[in-house]
């Protein structure tokens, strides 16, 4: 009986037992999985366009469908040196070490294998002018927006009529929805969004 006892080389929680009662266990075949649920990593897939903005040690907020209403905190621990293809997307694997919760409360029970989403603060900027990414037209190194210029006229329904004016801009940092504007626009300017390829200078809207 003593020879049939399997001893784990590490402390942790048994999260999987492979054989069932009556199965024959082959030599070197896995019997069980033991994991440390108090010291976990989140594996995040980052698009190759954005992975260059990530570096080790950056702060991360992690949410999971298995922890409704709870935001976990973590830090970027490692960044894979390779790019992989997942579906139609090319991504790099980033490992995030979970350190606690955003509200400082005791960390809830984590579940290995759960899906998660991460928000990585790669570059924090305050009091900057931003526009939606959907308002920007990029052609090579040139970025432009269509600005709505007041004409002083109104249509039959009484709505104000604007004239579109294409304006070159210089952009800074960005996130998944907005882009920082360094020059070319001022606070209060109205920028068109939507089917930008259909727009032209001088069109009335």
């Amino acid at each position: 009986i003593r020879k049939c006892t399997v001893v784990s080389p590490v402390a942790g929680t048994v999260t999987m037992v492979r054989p069932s009662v009556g199965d024959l266990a082959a030599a070197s075949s896995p019997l069980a999985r033991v994991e440390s649920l108090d010291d976990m990593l989140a594996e995040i897939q980052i698009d190759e366009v954005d992975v260059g903005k990530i570096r080790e040690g950056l702060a991360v907020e992690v949410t999971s469908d298995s922890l409704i209403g709870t935001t976990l905190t973590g830090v970027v621990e490692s960044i894979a040196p390779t790019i992989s293809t997942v579906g139609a997307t090319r991504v790099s694997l980033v490992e995030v070490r979970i350190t606690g919760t955003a509200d400082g409360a005791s960390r809830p029970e984590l579940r290995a294998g759960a899906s998660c989403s991460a928000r990585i603060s790669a570059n924090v900027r305050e009091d900057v002018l931003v526009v939606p990414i959907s308002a920007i037209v990029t052609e090579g190194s040139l970025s432009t927006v269509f600005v709505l210029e007041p004409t002083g006229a109104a249509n039959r329904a009484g709505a104000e009529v604007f004239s579109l004016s294409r304006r070159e801009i210089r952009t800074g940092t960005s996130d998944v929805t907005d882009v920082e504007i360094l020059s070319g626009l001022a606070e209060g300017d109205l920028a068109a969004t939507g089917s930008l390829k259909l727009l032209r200078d001088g069109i009335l809207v």
Side-chain angles (χ1 to χ4, degrees):
I1 296 298
R2 193 162 52 246
K3 293 182 180 180
C4 295
T5 299
V6 178
V7 179
S8 172
V10 296
T13 301
V14 176
T15 59
M16 182 196 72
V17 177
R18 179 155 295 181
S20 300
V21 175
D23 288 348
L24 295 177
S28 302
S29 62
L31 299 179
R33 177 186 295 153
V34 178
E35 299 179 275
S36 175
L37 300 183
D38 294 327
D39 184 23
M40 296 187 70
L41 293 173
E43 293 183 340
I44 310 298
Q45 295 175 346
I46 303 295
D47 191 281
E48 63 175 337
V49 175
D50 298 316
V51 73
K53 305 173 186 177
I54 307 300
R55 65 180 186 277
E56 293 180 5
L58 287 178
V60 186
E61 291 183 350
V62 179
T63 57
S64 173
D65 289 341
S66 65
L67 297 171
I68 301 298
T70 299
T71 299
L72 303 172
T73 57
V75 294
V76 174
E77 180 156 290
S78 67
I79 304 169
T82 57
I83 302 292
S84 304
T85 300
V86 178
T89 307
R90 295 177 60 78
V91 300
S92 185
L93 187 65
V94 173
E95 289 187 337
V96 174
R97 181 164 299 282
I98 304 301
T99 57
T101 58
D103 58 7
S106 58
R107 189 164 65 184
E109 181 180 350
L110 302 177
R111 292 171 173 81
S115 62
C116 66
S117 299
R119 183 181 181 88
I120 302 176
S121 301
N123 193 352
V124 178
R125 304 275 300 205
E126 298 181 354
D127 298 325
V128 297
L129 181 66
V130 298
V131 298
I133 290 178
S134 58
I136 297 178
V137 179
T138 302
E139 298 175 351
S141 60
L142 180 66
S143 296
T144 60
V145 296
F146 284 99
V147 178
L148 281 68
E149 304 281 2
T151 63
N155 63 12
R156 293 181 180 179
E160 187 176 1
V161 175
F162 296 87
S163 175
L164 292 184
S165 174
R166 190 165 186 165
R167 190 179 300 177
E168 182 179 345
I169 59 172
R170 190 163 61 91
T171 60
T173 59
S174 64
D175 59 18
V176 294
T177 58
D178 300 307
V179 178
E180 177 189 8
I181 302 300
L182 300 177
S183 64
L185 290 177
E187 185 175 355
D189 285 342
L190 299 178
T193 62
S195 303
L196 300 180
K197 292 183 179 179
L198 303 177
L199 303 183
R200 296 292 183 273
D201 273 322
I203 289 180
L204 299 180
V205 296

